[in-house]
Amino acid sequence: MSRGHAPPEPEREALAAAAAWACQFTPRVSLEPPQGMVAEVEGSLRFFGGFEPLKAKLQQGLTDLGFKAVFAFAPTARAALWRAAGGGGALEELPVAVTGLAPEALELLSGLGVRTLGELMRLPREGVALRFGQGLLRELDRARGDLPEPREFFVPPARFSARLELPAQVTQAESVLFAARRLLAGLEGLLAARHAGVRRFCLVLLHRDLPPTELKVGLATAGRGAEHFARLLREHLARTTLCAAVEAIRIEAGDFEVLSGESKNFFNDPHTGGEKWLRLVERLQARLGSSAVHGLRVHPDHRPERAWVCVFPGEGFLPKEEKQNEPRPLWLLEPPRRLGEGEFVLLAGPERIESGWWDGAEARRDYFIARTGERSLAWIYREREGGWFLHGIFA
C-alpha cells in the first residue's frame, strides 16, 4: 500500500494514473481518494522475489512518475492504509488520527487519555458506538480482519492520456524530453498492466496563445518500453523548431495491441536479429521521416509505376498465387528515360499494357526485354503513338 502526494488538483486524475501504472504488479488495485491506493500483492511476491524487491520496484517507479510515496504492508487493506498514514509501526501503536475522525472526536479521545489505536480498541464497544458511531467500530474490525472490507478494483483505461505542467517555459524542443520521460513511464506501466503495446503515440506541446504542436511517433512493431519511446522521441524533437514557448505537454496513445511475452532461448541464437532490425528501422524513420524509410506492397494495377504502395517495413507481401507470370525488374526509373533507335537490341516481347483510362493517367505501351549499349539487361517500352523509353533495369 502506498500514499502518494499528488498536486492538489486534479488529485483523482493523478491517483488514477498511479493506479494504472501499479496494475502491472497486480490486477487487484483500488483507490482511496484523495491520496491513497491499496494493492493486494501477496500473489505477486514470489514472482518479484519478496516484499523488499517489490517495494524497491514500486518506490522507483512511483518516483519516476513524480510521486512521493509512503509504503506499508499489512494483512488487511484498512490496516495498510492506517499504517501508511501513521508512518508505519504496529497497528495498536498508531495514533488515532489515522482513522480520519473529526477534530472534535479526536479532542474528546485525547481528553479520555486515548492516543493510540490499541487504547481505542480496549475501550468498551458500547461506549465507543454511543459516542463515535458504529462506523468507527466497523473500521476497527476491518483493520483487524474481523470484518471483510469489499473494495472496488481499479480497471486500467483502454487509452492513455496524461498532461504535465512544466515548471518553467521551454524554448528548445530537446528540453521537453526530460519532462516527457515521466509521462512515458506512466504509458509503459499502463501497457504492461494491459499486456499490450502500441505502434504509435503522440506528444502534444501546449503553448499559451497558439495552437498546440503535435509530434506523432510511429513504431515498426508494437512496443511498450519507455526508454525506447524516449529514444524515438529524441529524434523527432531534434528535427522540431518550436513556434513558441512550451508551457505544458501531453502524451496520448490508443489502439492498444496485445503484446505477448518474449521467450528466451537457453543458447544464444545468431539468427534472432529481427528485433534489432526493427529498432534500427524505427530510429531511421524518426530521424529521416517515415516517408524516407518504408516497405513496399504490391498494388493491383497493370501500370508498373502504380503497382506498389508504401507500407511500414515488414507489412504485406505478394502472395504466391498472385505473382506475376511476366518478369519484372526490381529497379524502375522515375521518370522513364527516352531511348534512341540504335541504343538497344530487343531480346523478348512484346507485352502490351493498356490501363488507366479512368483516372487520367492512361498508359498504352508495348514492353520488351532488351540489351542496352552498356550491356545491361533492361525493360523498355514503345508508346503506341510515340518513341522508345527505358523503364527498368534487370541487371
Side-chain angles (χ1 to χ4, degrees):
M1 205 293 301
S2 65
R3 291 181 64 88
H5 297 278
E9 196 61 32
E11 284 185 333
R12 183 174 291 273
E13 181 179 347
L15 190 60
W21 174 86
C23 282
Q24 64 184 295
F25 300 97
T26 171
R28 303 172 73 85
V29 175
S30 60
L31 305 183
E32 186 78 11
Q35 295 178 326
M37 180 174 67
V38 179
E40 187 177 321
V41 298
E42 184 176 3
S44 306
L45 293 180
R46 184 175 180 182
F47 181 80
F48 290 102
F51 277 116
E52 291 305 320
L54 177 58
K55 179 181 176 181
K57 289 181 178 291
L58 291 168
Q59 183 75 69
Q60 183 61 52
L62 290 172
T63 299
D64 293 341
L65 291 175
F67 291 92
K68 180 181 178 182
V70 177
F71 292 86
F73 296 91
T76 66
R78 186 56 46 190
L81 286 165
W82 285 354
R83 289 191 66 200
L91 181 64
E92 291 77 8
E93 298 173 357
L94 297 177
V96 292
V98 299
T99 60
L101 289 172
E104 299 80 9
L106 293 176
E107 185 177 355
L108 176 58
L109 286 172
S110 177
L112 296 174
V114 177
R115 294 177 173 79
T116 66
L117 292 183
E119 294 169 343
L120 178 59
M121 293 175 185
R122 287 190 289 271
L123 292 178
R125 293 178 63 87
E126 296 79 4
V128 172
L130 182 62
R131 289 178 177 268
F132 306 103
Q134 288 288 342
L136 178 58
L137 288 179
R138 286 194 295 269
E139 293 288 280
L140 292 171
D141 290 341
R142 287 167 178 166
R144 291 182 296 194
D146 296 334
L147 191 68
E149 183 180 1
R151 300 190 68 88
E152 181 179 355
F153 294 121
F154 178 82
V155 178
R159 290 184 55 84
F160 179 84
S161 180
R163 174 183 171 127
L164 180 63
E165 299 288 338
L166 301 181
Q169 290 187 346
V170 171
T171 57
Q172 297 294 325
E174 294 89 340
S175 303
V176 176
L177 183 62
F178 180 80
R181 285 180 179 273
R182 179 182 298 182
L183 300 184
L184 291 176
L187 173 59
E188 179 183 22
L190 172 59
L191 292 173
R194 296 189 66 91
H195 306 286
V198 292
R199 288 183 179 269
R200 59 192 59 85
F201 64 91
C202 180
L203 172 67
V204 183
L205 308 178
L206 303 173
H207 314 288
R208 181 183 293 273
D209 299 317
L210 292 175
T213 302
E214 293 187 358
L215 299 181
K216 297 182 179 180
V217 181
L219 289 81
T221 185
R224 72 165 70 115
E227 282 302 315
H228 180 56
F229 291 166
R231 285 194 294 269
L232 297 179
L233 187 56
R234 181 188 295 114
E235 302 291 351
H236 282 268
L237 290 170
R239 298 188 291 110
T240 301
T241 301
L242 297 179
C243 61
V246 179
E247 295 189 336
I249 63 173
R250 187 172 67 249
I251 288 183
E252 300 175 343
D255 300 325
F256 293 176
E257 298 183 19
V258 175
L259 197 62
S260 58
E262 179 183 358
S263 298
K264 302 294 184 180
N265 293 327
F266 184 75
F267 300 102
N268 290 330
D269 187 353
H271 302 292
T272 57
E275 186 72 13
K276 293 182 179 179
W277 179 79
L278 289 173
R279 293 293 181 258
L280 173 62
V281 169
E282 290 169 355
R283 295 195 66 181
L284 288 174
Q285 286 181 325
R287 181 169 298 184
L288 304 176
S290 58
S291 60
V293 184
H294 54 76
L296 299 178
R297 175 185 292 164
V298 173
H299 179 68
D301 197 309
H302 292 290
R303 292 166 293 182
E305 65 273 17
R306 294 179 179 239
W308 56 273
V309 292
C310 295
V311 296
F312 272 113
E315 281 190 12
F317 297 94
L318 180 63
K320 292 182 179 179
E321 62 271 19
E322 296 182 11
K323 285 186 176 179
Q324 297 283 348
N325 293 324
E326 298 294 338
R328 292 288 186 267
L330 292 178
W331 182 8
L332 292 180
L333 276 67
E334 181 60 39
R337 180 168 65 85
R338 181 177 289 275
L339 292 173
E341 290 286 347
E343 295 185 53
F344 57 89
V345 177
L346 299 180
L347 301 178
E351 176 193 353
R352 178 161 294 178
I353 294 179
E354 293 191 26
S355 182
W357 55 266
W358 58 87
D359 61 9
E362 184 176 7
R364 305 178 66 191
R365 308 165 184 163
D366 288 328
Y367 277 88
F368 298 83
I369 298 176
R371 182 78 66 185
T372 64
E374 297 84 5
R375 311 298 296 172
S376 296
L377 194 62
W379 201 40
I380 69 175
Y381 69 84
R382 179 179 57 193
E383 291 183 335
R384 297 289 300 279
E385 297 87 11
W388 292 88
F389 292 86
L390 173 63
H391 200 179
I393 297 175
F394 290 99

